[in-house]
Amino acid sequence: MLELYHAGLTTCSKKVRLCLAEKGLDYRSHFLDLRKFEHHGPEYLAINPNGVVPALVHDGEPVLESMLINEYLDTVFPTPPLRPTNPLELARMRLWTKLADNYGLAAVVPNTWAFYQPVIAKLSPQEYERMIARVPTDERREQWKKASDNSFTQDDHQKAVDAAKRIVSKIEAGIGEGPWLMGAAYTLADIDLLPYVDRIATYFPDILGPGSKTPRTEAWLERMRGRPAVKSTYAPSVDAPASVVPVAATASATA
Ligand SMILES: N[C@@H](CCC(=O)N[C@@H](CS)C(=O)NCC(=O)O)C(=O)O
């Protein structure tokens, strides 16, 4: 049995939910509400000690990290195939998924996490201390602290802009004739990059939007948004309530 612990419309959750949808795989959904810090509870930490979503559990065995979960799914459930079999092509595809893994979150975190500030503001000082103490890694503890007063620095915002530009410029230069990132074959490259590119278009219209001189990336994004599996995975649903709403960009790409 497949079980997915996820937070619905968060970028990393959508990455895996889309892979499952494209393969037509059924799974037991465990929605974790990040606004209630459910992913920091002991039950979930026993599955993913890093306290981040998503986590796949297959026949009782946890599989972590969205990029690796998608590769695992494609290995264990090979139909339809979402990776090339040719080793060189596979290495090239993994360069795209690595781009998503290395730079995707950096591009969107400062703007997305601003959303948590009003949620954290409602906590009493004791509840806040308890929440912070339960965050299992130093890196995420710092992030939750920054989210608490939206103290992401100019440097954090600049890193987000740089990461967004890197992702979009790589796609613009690398997609060729398309229609997908690996050419005729729709692969994990498309699935893994979509959540971040989709948000980059919202947060940084001057990097990806009308006037940004990125027609290939925009056309790819529209093709992706038109896929039935994307429409079902990216829309709010019972499985994925609209708990994380992208907010307006707080730093211009040209700042
Ligand atoms: N490298 C991890 C990153 C997972 C991750 O950061 N997930 C975010 C949602 S996109 C999360 O759990 N955020 C809540 C938190 O950090 O407390 C992956 O790709 O699975």
Side-chain angles (χ1 to χ4, degrees):
M1 183 178 57
L2 286 173
E3 298 178 72
L4 186 70
Y5 292 77
H6 66 98
L9 297 176
T10 63
T11 48
C12 309
S13 302
K14 282 190 292 196
K15 203 161 138 183
V16 173
R17 289 176 54 245
L18 178 57
C19 184
L20 288 160
E22 294 284 10
K23 286 184 173 288
L25 291 168
D26 285 331
Y27 60 94
R28 180 180 290 174
S29 168
H30 299 274
F31 173 78
L32 298 174
D33 193 337
L34 303 189
R35 294 172 307 176
K36 295 181 181 156
F37 319 107
E38 290 176 346
H39 56 310
H40 295 150
E43 275 178 34
Y44 183 63
L45 291 185
I47 295 167
N48 186 347
N50 301 324
V52 294
V53 286
L56 181 78
V57 177
H58 185 204
D59 293 339
E61 296 295 336
V63 185
L64 307 182
E65 287 294 324
S66 57
M67 175 182 162
L68 306 184
I69 294 171
N70 282 356
E71 292 184 357
Y72 177 84
L73 286 171
D74 198 48
T75 302
V76 179
F77 305 98
T79 310
L82 292 171
R83 287 176 301 176
T85 47
N86 174 290
L88 188 58
E89 289 295 296
L90 179 60
R92 288 182 179 151
M93 189 216 81
R94 295 191 81 233
L95 211 50
W96 287 118
T97 55
K98 200 164 180 312
L99 179 72
D101 194 47
N102 286 352
Y103 296 99
L105 276 182
V108 302
V109 156
N111 288 308
T112 301
W113 280 58
F115 168 80
Y116 292 114
Q117 202 268 326
V119 176
I120 300 171
K122 292 197 182 102
L123 302 178
S124 69
Q126 293 80 0
E127 287 169 329
Y128 174 75
E129 289 306 326
R130 214 175 308 134
M131 182 277 279
I132 287 292
R134 286 190 347 152
V135 181
T137 63
D138 293 345
E139 180 239 333
R140 293 301 164 112
R141 200 171 307 112
E142 281 317 300
Q143 211 159 286
W144 279 103
K145 282 181 184 168
K146 283 184 180 179
S148 70
D149 55 0
N150 200 4
S151 60
F152 288 97
T153 62
Q154 192 52 42
D155 189 45
D156 294 324
H157 284 289
Q158 190 54 51
K159 282 190 180 132
V161 167
D162 293 345
K165 281 183 178 166
R166 175 184 286 260
I167 289 173
V168 172
S169 65
K170 293 271 182 206
I171 294 177
E172 198 61 25
I175 189 166
E177 295 302 308
W180 311 115
L181 294 173
M182 289 299 295
Y186 177 74
T187 66
L188 293 181
D190 303 288
I191 291 172
D192 283 22
L193 273 160
L194 178 64
Y196 309 109
V197 177
D198 188 51
R199 288 233 174 131
I200 287 168
T202 304
Y203 294 155
F204 305 114
D206 42 352
I207 293 176
L208 181 59
S212 63
K213 298 200 178 75
T214 49
R216 293 195 184 107
T217 313
E218 284 173 72
W220 170 80
L221 182 56
E222 282 318 301
R223 280 194 292 278
M224 287 299 293
R225 285 172 172 165
R227 290 184 71 87
V230 171
K231 284 187 182 161
S232 63
T233 308
Y234 277 55
S237 63
V238 175
D239 190 39
S243 57
V244 174
V245 181
V247 295
T250 50
S252 161
T254 50

